[in-house]
């Protein structure tokens, strides 16, 4: 079962101004071509998309943190500041985050999108470097209305898990950049989704009909799972959706009566009775909550998932469903997922993805 949430897009003329603080890691570990030099080239792609209403400030950190550029919309000044950067020293990432948030808050504009963007290889080894302390700091700072996004560069010492956690705690996105093409996708093609949040604390809850579904499992989202009671609690933080971006959840279902069932029937719980006529055709009931950015109160959308939504063969499923399934299968195979059907091979993934990639201008 594929659940897709699509965010509406906004164009350059109608989007709000961007108040962006770049926090760039210039420590010694960033010296290789796929790190600081690529980060600088990536930011220059972003500058091309800015308007006169947007402002950028730059902070850097190595053994210590410092401000390189006060907020400006002058593209030449921004490029000149970037060209002066070079790598050297240890990595006081926590101090850099503190400085960047202070800079962003000093120049806070309630009518703008206020965001810190961290560009790093993720090797924090001086100052605040405990992952839990960093997460706690970023979680507190998001209450100010300044969100955090993270772009990761390089390999070897890259700490993907920490970068993902920091971005989640800061109401932002995390992405890995290994080529200029990937940077173009994130900071040029998908700029709206990377920078402009249209929905806060998005939560999905699914209740399955036990008369139809014997077992289910959610594929992925281990770091995003919420307790059942958190769904209606607006104080509990959840994920954000950027303009034009989509969120996908995939469940694997075992129908009632299937030989594929893995869990024995419960000894003490009652077996489900046949569903009432009113919902006999329902597989599940979907509920979604989200908040308008800046709001403290969520809104609820719900709908049943019925036999009318089912496809007899994945070949007839929508393109988005087929591609998402290929991605989920690829991730499952990389992880050695013990529940994946052994008949599903790497070639199966490739065939499914190639048949559903749609228009792919840049290959």
């Amino acid at each position: 079962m594929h659940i897709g949430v699509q965010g509406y897009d906004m164009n350059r003329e109608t989007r709000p101004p961007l108040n962006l603080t770049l926090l760039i890691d210039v420590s010694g570990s960033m010296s290789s071509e796929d790190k600081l030099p690529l980060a600088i080239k990536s930011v220059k792609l972003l500058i091309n998309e800015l308007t006169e209403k947007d402002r950028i400030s730059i902070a850097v950190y190595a053994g210590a943190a410092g401000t390189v550029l006060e907020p400006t919309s002058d593209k030449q000044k921004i490029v000149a500041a970037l060209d002066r950067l070079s790598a050297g020293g240890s990595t006081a990432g926590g101090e850099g985050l503190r400085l960047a948030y202070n800079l962003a808050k000093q120049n806070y504009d309630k009518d703008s999108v206020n965001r810190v963007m961290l560009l790093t290889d993720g090797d924090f080894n001086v100052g605040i470097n405990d992952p839990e302390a960093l997460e706690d700091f970023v979680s507190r700072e998001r209450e100010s209305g300044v969100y955090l996004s993270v772009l990761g560069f390089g390999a070897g010492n890259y700490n993907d898990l920490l970068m993902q956690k920091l971005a989640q705690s800061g109401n932002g996105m995390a992405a890995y950049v290994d080529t200029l093409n990937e940077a173009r996708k994130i900071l040029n093609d998908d700029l709206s989704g990377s920078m402009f949040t249209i929905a806060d604390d998005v939560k999905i809850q699914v209740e399955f009909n036990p008369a139809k579904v014997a077992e289910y499992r959610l594929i992925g989202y281990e770091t995003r799972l919420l307790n059942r009671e958190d769904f209606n609690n607006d104080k509990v933080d959840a994920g954000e959706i950027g303009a034009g971006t989509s969120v996908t959840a995939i469940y694997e279902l075992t129908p009632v009566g299937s030989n594929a069932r893995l869990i024995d029937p419960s000894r003490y719980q009652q077996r489900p009775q046949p569903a009432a006529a009113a919902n006999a055709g329902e597989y599940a009931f979907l509920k979604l909550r989200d908040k308008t950015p800046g709001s403290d109160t969520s809104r609820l959308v719900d709908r049943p998932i019925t036999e009318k939504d089912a496809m007899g063969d994945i070949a007839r499923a929508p393109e988005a469903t087929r591609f998402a399934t290929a991605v989920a299968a690829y991730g499952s195979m990389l992880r050695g997922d013990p529940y994946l059907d052994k008949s599903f091979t790497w070639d199966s993934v490739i065939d499914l993805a190639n048949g559903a990639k749609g228009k792919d201008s840049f290959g």
Side-chain angles (χ1 to χ4, degrees):
M1 186 173 76
H2 172 219
I3 299 171
V5 180
Q6 178 64 50
Y8 65 83
D9 208 349
M10 55 176 70
N11 59 42
R12 185 179 168 124
E13 287 70 34
T14 60
R15 68 166 174 79
L18 180 62
N19 180 28
L20 179 65
T21 302
L22 295 172
L23 175 59
I24 303 176
D25 182 351
V26 293
S27 62
S29 65
M30 289 287 287
S31 60
S32 60
E33 280 297 314
D34 62 343
K35 295 186 180 182
L36 182 60
L38 180 57
I40 291 171
K41 292 175 186 175
S42 301
V43 173
K44 288 179 178 178
L45 291 174
L46 168 64
I47 294 168
N48 292 334
E49 296 299 307
L50 300 181
T51 69
E52 293 179 357
K53 300 181 296 181
D54 302 321
R55 294 183 300 167
I56 280 189
S57 51
I58 301 176
V60 298
Y61 65 92
T67 302
V68 171
L69 184 68
E70 295 290 339
T72 180
S73 56
D74 187 327
K75 295 183 180 181
Q76 289 183 323
K77 280 186 178 179
I78 301 169
V79 170
L82 290 169
D83 286 340
R84 290 194 295 269
L85 299 181
S86 60
S90 50
T91 318
E95 298 308 313
L97 279 171
R98 194 188 304 278
L99 172 66
Y101 274 111
N102 286 340
L103 197 57
K105 288 187 287 188
Q106 286 169 20
N107 304 289
Y108 185 86
D109 181 353
K110 64 179 179 61
D111 296 321
S112 298
V113 171
N114 300 274
R115 187 177 290 275
V116 170
M117 176 173 278
L118 170 63
L119 296 90
T120 181
D121 64 358
D123 184 22
F124 292 6
N125 54 32
V126 173
I128 309 173
N129 56 13
D130 175 65
E132 290 188 7
L134 285 166
E135 282 182 67
D136 186 52
F137 170 74
V138 170
S139 296
R140 292 197 307 271
E141 290 295 334
R142 72 166 178 253
E143 302 302 323
S144 68
V146 178
Y147 290 176
L148 172 71
S149 291
V150 181
L151 292 187
F153 295 85
N157 57 349
Y158 182 65
N159 189 339
D160 185 65
L161 184 60
L162 176 60
M163 298 300 101
Q164 292 281 348
K165 285 185 175 180
L166 288 181
Q168 288 179 12
S169 299
N171 279 5
M173 65 90 187
Y176 181 72
V177 179
D178 57 351
T179 65
L180 201 57
N181 261 346
E182 186 65 20
R184 180 180 291 110
K185 179 180 183 297
I186 297 163
L187 296 176
N188 194 302
D189 302 346
D190 298 340
L191 177 68
S192 294
S194 302
M195 296 291 173
F196 301 100
T197 299
I198 60 169
D200 282 346
D201 293 340
V202 180
K203 303 174 184 176
I204 293 173
Q205 188 176 69
V206 183
E207 180 184 359
F208 290 98
N209 180 358
K212 286 279 191 182
V213 179
E215 298 171 347
Y216 67 89
R217 68 181 180 113
L218 176 63
I219 300 174
Y221 282 92
E222 286 84 354
T223 64
R224 281 299 199 183
L225 291 176
L226 297 171
N227 295 324
R228 186 173 181 178
E229 61 271 20
D230 293 340
F231 182 75
N232 291 320
N233 186 349
D234 284 345
K235 294 180 180 179
V236 174
D237 181 61
E240 280 60 49
I241 292 183
T245 60
S246 55
V247 174
T248 296
I250 293 180
Y251 288 88
E252 184 178 67
L253 313 181
T254 305
V256 169
S258 168
N259 292 330
R261 183 167 179 164
L262 296 177
I263 303 171
D264 291 334
S266 172
R267 178 182 177 92
Y268 299 107
Q269 291 182 346
Q270 286 187 332
R271 293 187 181 183
Q273 300 301 310
N279 60 3
E282 292 183 12
Y283 284 95
F285 193 74
L286 168 67
K287 294 192 286 188
L288 182 144
R289 283 196 177 277
D290 74 290
K291 298 175 186 171
T292 301
S295 172
D296 294 326
T297 306
S298 67
R299 56 194 171 190
L300 174 67
V301 176
D302 57 32
R303 79 181 282 267
I305 297 171
T306 70
E307 292 172 347
K308 292 180 180 178
D309 296 308
M311 297 282 175
D313 190 317
I314 194 167
R316 298 205 301 271
E319 181 180 278
T321 298
R322 286 181 281 127
F323 191 78
T325 304
V327 173
Y330 182 61
S332 296
M333 293 182 75
L334 285 175
R335 296 170 56 165
D337 185 346
Y339 302 110
L340 194 67
D341 191 314
K342 288 182 173 57
S343 66
F344 212 88
T345 65
W346 296 111
D347 285 339
S348 305
V349 173
I350 292 168
D351 291 343
L352 192 56
N354 274 331
K357 66 183 178 182
K359 185 179 179 183
D360 186 24
S361 307
F362 296 102

